[in-house]
Amino acid sequence: MSETVEFLLMGIFLGFAAGISPGPLMAMTISETLQHGSREGIKVAVSPLITDLLIVSSIMFILLHFESQNPAIALISLSGAVYLIHLGISSLKTNSIDLEITDKKKDSLKKGILANFLSPHPYLFWITIGGPILFRTLDVDILAGILFVAGFYILLVGSKVMIAFITGRCRSFLKNNYYLYTIRALGVVYLIFALFFIEQGLELLG
């Protein structure tokens, strides 16, 4: 049961880190909130629940063809480590959140869906990080995989919803030092996760 809880905690951390980190969907969530209010920002925040079903299922279908080929999975794990290192360094270098505000019509949910489909972030995450973790849950039980995915999306969407809610009421929140310190601290944890992915990749390579 401890391994199952470990995957839940892993999903919670990665979801929270992805949810508060700067990126296209974050920028659009905040932009829509500032222009049209928290309700429209929240519509953007929940868009991954619509888009990622297709993204994740397609990626997992492709990765299943590599499940029994250790060198391919090892390469994916090492690629995930590189991506995590990139995210970690980017988080550590974050100084502020810059947004380009434009006066466009609402359609916030539609814009969020389009932005998430066209963003490389969900594809990179599930190919290099989420996919290998889900394969590891197969050695535990199906509940571990369900809890990992549930923890990830509850925190991914929940943290963006919370940011939209807070931003709608306190626009100075994004300039708050505590928010920036949190992002930088997550950068360190990203780098720690990268070490685990490197270890997993090297083990698969023998």
Side-chain angles (χ1 to χ4, degrees):
M1 187 65 175
S2 60
E3 284 186 279
T4 302
V5 173
E6 180 182 328
F7 284 109
L8 171 62
L9 295 176
M10 196 178 296
I12 287 173
F13 163 75
L14 290 172
F16 178 66
I20 72 166
S21 297
L25 201 62
M26 169 63 83
M28 183 169 289
T29 298
I30 297 168
S31 177
E32 291 296 302
T33 299
L34 294 178
Q35 293 179 70
H36 308 298
S38 298
R39 183 176 180 179
E40 296 305 310
I42 290 172
K43 288 181 182 179
V44 177
V46 301
S47 62
L49 297 178
I50 299 172
T51 61
D52 285 22
L53 178 63
L54 178 59
I55 293 173
V56 175
S57 59
S58 300
I59 288 174
M60 293 306 297
F61 176 78
I62 295 171
L63 291 180
L64 278 172
H65 290 79
F66 299 107
E67 183 179 0
S68 60
Q69 301 177 23
N70 283 352
I73 297 298
L75 180 60
I76 291 172
S77 294
L78 293 174
S79 299
V82 172
Y83 183 48
L84 282 168
I85 291 171
H86 165 71
L87 292 176
I89 293 174
S90 297
S91 296
L92 288 171
K93 293 170 65 176
T94 300
N95 293 315
S96 63
I97 308 298
D98 297 317
L99 294 171
E100 182 180 346
I101 307 300
T102 57
D103 294 322
K104 295 181 179 179
K105 63 179 181 179
K106 294 182 180 180
D107 290 333
S108 301
L109 180 60
K110 185 185 298 183
K111 287 191 281 188
I113 291 173
L114 185 60
N116 206 48
F117 260 128
L118 297 180
S119 171
H121 291 187
Y123 300 94
L124 286 171
F125 174 83
W126 283 104
I127 290 173
T128 62
I129 301 173
I133 290 175
L134 281 181
F135 281 131
R136 286 168 55 192
T137 66
L138 297 177
D139 297 327
V140 182
D141 56 44
I142 189 171
L143 180 61
I146 292 172
L147 289 178
F148 170 74
V149 174
F152 178 80
Y153 280 104
I154 288 172
L155 269 293
L156 171 71
V157 173
S159 56
K160 279 185 167 57
V161 167
M162 185 59 64
I163 287 174
F165 183 79
I166 294 173
T167 302
R169 285 156 179 74
C170 181
R171 298 190 177 199
S172 62
F173 168 70
L174 296 174
K175 302 298 182 181
N176 189 295
N177 285 335
Y178 292 111
Y179 178 67
L180 294 176
Y181 291 154
T182 300
I183 292 178
R184 291 171 187 167
L186 289 172
V188 175
V189 185
Y190 270 136
L191 296 177
I192 294 173
F193 266 92
L195 295 177
F196 286 109
F197 271 72
I198 291 172
E199 179 184 13
Q200 175 178 293
L202 293 178
E203 284 180 358
L204 289 172
L205 289 175

